[in-house]
Amino acid sequence: MKNLVIIPTYNEKENVEKMIRTVFSLQTPFNILIIEDGSPDGTAAIVKSLQQEFKDKLHILERKGKLGLGTAYLTGFRWALERDYEYIFEMDCDFSHPPEDLENLYKACTEQGADLAIGSRYIKGINVINWPLGRVLMSYFASVYVRFITGMKVMDTTAGFKCYAQKVLETIDLDNIHLKGYGFQIEMKFTAWKHGFKIIEVPIIFTERQEGTSKMSGGIFNEALWGILKMKIRSWFRKYPPYKS
């Protein structure tokens, strides 16, 4: 099995079993790694109850407390590299990222030559369902701001639905990724871009969660806003060598 989908969870009892079964029903074979941050609602128990059914395909790492999105993915990336997965995916558990589009991200890497494939809300207009207008505008213009600061030609810079080729995560110094929330998503794209990797955006339709509680907050947005400026300044003093096989 060469494909791993990393799904961070915190209080996702309404969604986690359905998400796991949906991913495993896809034509392309995937393994799943749940990064569980001590959900008090019993999310971890649900995952563990499914592990016998999906033996050697469903994995869980439990952490003590809500430690944040960025650190969850960094933990998952290191776990994946240690086990030699070729394609590593990021996806939310709340169905805002359509799991069926995992296959399109995979094809962007395996058939179109992408090193990083992004499930993009903004590559073909604005494809967001059930968000208030204010949040749509905040998200869209956050990407405009990031493109202005960084020079990246990525339309959905804050997207969290992605597929990395193994070599991208091997090349990026994961210990030198500073941002933790939505800023983490931007910093990973920016660093991959600076290393010269090929990035392709795949159009998706993003739907706001129907069950469970959103983890978005003003603090996360503010970290991204100011963190991007600091990230850009740090980049002036860093080297980004191209990948060497």
Side-chain angles (χ1 to χ4, degrees), residues 176-194:
N176 208 18
I177 298 297
H178 295 272
L179 301 180
K180 303 304 180 187
Y182 279 83
F184 164 82
Q185 304 290 11
I186 299 165
E187 187 171 12
M188 287 294 295
K189 295 181 189 72
F190 176 72
T191 308
W193 175 71
K194 291 288 284 184

Side-chain angles (χ1 to χ4, degrees), residues 151-167:
M152 279 196 300
K153 306 302 181 185
V154 173
M155 291 301 296
D156 195 348
T157 60
T158 63
F161 190 24
K162 297 183 284 186
C163 173
Y164 295 93
Q166 180 188 62
K167 62 185 179 181

Side-chain angles (χ1 to χ4, degrees), residues 3-225:
N3 307 315
L4 181 71
V5 182
I6 302 171
I7 305 177
T9 58
Y10 185 77
N11 285 349
E12 292 289 357
K13 68 177 183 180
E14 298 92 348
N15 296 307
V16 69
E17 180 172 354
K18 183 179 177 183
M19 176 57 75
I20 288 168
R21 293 190 181 280
T22 301
V23 172
F24 286 145
S25 73
L26 299 174
Q27 183 174 357
T28 301
F30 297 97
N31 280 6
I32 296 175
L33 173 63
I34 301 291
I35 308 289
E36 219 312 286
D37 270 7
S39 301
D41 72 345
T43 298
I46 295 171
V47 176
K48 290 175 182 177
S49 72
L50 296 169
Q51 282 188 296
Q52 188 61 39
E53 180 179 351
F54 300 110
K55 193 173 182 180
D56 299 325
K57 295 172 61 179
L58 176 61
H59 310 276
I60 182 170
L61 288 179
E62 294 183 82
R63 307 196 301 171
K64 294 182 179 179
K66 193 175 179 183
L67 301 178
L69 182 73
T71 63
Y73 279 125
L74 290 172
T75 297
F77 294 160
R78 294 185 179 101
W79 191 93
L81 292 175
E82 289 170 1
R83 289 156 181 81
D84 202 32
Y85 283 96
E86 293 184 36
Y87 296 99
I88 299 97
F89 299 75
E90 294 183 19
M91 189 172 68
D92 290 349
C93 192
D94 60 6
F95 287 89
S96 57
H97 301 148
E100 297 80 8
D101 282 323
L102 286 168
E103 298 193 285
N104 292 327
L105 296 179
Y106 178 70
K107 289 176 182 177
C109 289
T110 59
E111 298 178 10
Q112 300 176 48
D115 301 310
L116 168 58
I118 300 169
S120 178
R121 296 162 291 186
Y122 306 130
I123 192 65
K124 289 187 175 181
I126 298 177
N127 293 307
V128 178
I129 296 175
N130 293 337
W131 265 13
L133 179 60
R135 188 170 174 188
V136 173
L137 292 175
M138 181 178 72
S139 174
Y140 181 81
F141 284 105
S143 282
V144 173
Y145 166 78
V146 172
R147 288 197 298 275
F148 175 75
I149 296 294
T150 65
M152 279 196 300
K153 306 302 181 185
V154 173
M155 291 301 296
D156 195 348
T157 60
T158 63
F161 190 24
K162 297 183 284 186
C163 173
Y164 295 93
Q166 180 188 62
K167 62 185 179 181
V168 178
L169 299 181
E170 289 176 333
T171 301
I172 291 175
D173 180 4
L174 298 178
D175 291 331
N176 208 18
I177 298 297
H178 295 272
L179 301 180
K180 303 304 180 187
Y182 279 83
F184 164 82
Q185 304 290 11
I186 299 165
E187 187 171 12
M188 287 294 295
K189 295 181 189 72
F190 176 72
T191 308
W193 175 71
K194 291 288 284 184
H195 278 291
F197 287 110
K198 181 177 180 179
I199 299 174
I200 291 178
E201 291 186 81
V202 176
I204 67 164
I205 296 176
F206 180 99
T207 304
E208 174 68 330
R209 68 163 60 237
Q210 299 299 307
E211 297 184 89
T213 304
S214 174
K215 315 303 187 294
M216 182 65 178
S217 70
I220 290 174
F221 181 77
N222 287 333
E223 184 233 25
L225 180 69

